[in-house]
Amino acid sequence: MTTLLFHKPYGVLSQFTPEAGCDWACLAEFISIPQVYAAGRLDADSEGLLLLTSNGRLQQRLTDPRFGHWRRYWVQVEGEATAHPEALERLRSGLLIQGQRTLPARAEAISDPCLPERTPPIRRRAAIPTSWLQLELQEGRNRQVRRMTAAVNLPTLRLLRVAIDLMDGAAPLELNGLAAGQWRQVNGAESQRLEQLLKPSRAMKKISPGRGGRAGGGKSGRGAGGG
């Protein structure tokens, strides 16, 4: 089993094939390892941690909503989050988005994480401050983070996924040490943890071991992992 952690830059589709009539880049421009597939997606205008694997069962295990893997995002928003504690509470409690209520989330204001400037840089308005949130979700509906922050009047300007929790009691897989566009193979300990997820269980017997393709995601990020 080959499994990679990739820091997806802004402007890159979560698929290996380019999309007709689209200027976004694709994964093939960064990753030459054959037969790996994204386990969950990030929209082209989102950045951060993308896990790719050659194992179809692992891909499905990590994306099936019944297992509720927490995914952590750092979100730069327009407005001062600390001045709106009610907005954070609404994010935590769940919101009605496109007629469906989101699951309870973990949300808190954080200090500026001092990340490298995005290319292209975010828009800035001199009269409107920006701030950062840490938001953790157990689901990955289309453009969910952006829709949630917009619903509480804190529009998203920049979005990075920084961690994926394997829900095994150990530390999440994190983006640490990977610059935008870089990837690495999981280490021995991480590989063992991922293999442990595939041990037969009653829950796993209900899931077919299908595999997603190296295409998909699209301009709008359909099938995205919340970003």
Side-chain angles (χ1 to χ4, degrees), residues 172-219:
L173 301 180
E174 296 186 326
L175 193 62
N176 295 346
L178 289 175
Q182 291 184 336
W183 60 268
R184 68 169 177 85
Q185 295 202 36
V186 296
N187 61 36
E190 292 165 339
S191 181
Q192 287 181 2
R193 292 173 60 197
L194 291 165
E195 289 173 4
Q196 192 74 14
L197 296 181
L198 300 180
K199 288 197 170 182
S201 69
R202 184 175 299 176
M204 283 299 296
K205 290 178 182 178
K206 300 177 183 177
I207 302 174
S208 63
R211 169 176 290 173
R214 287 165 77 90
K219 296 178 188 176

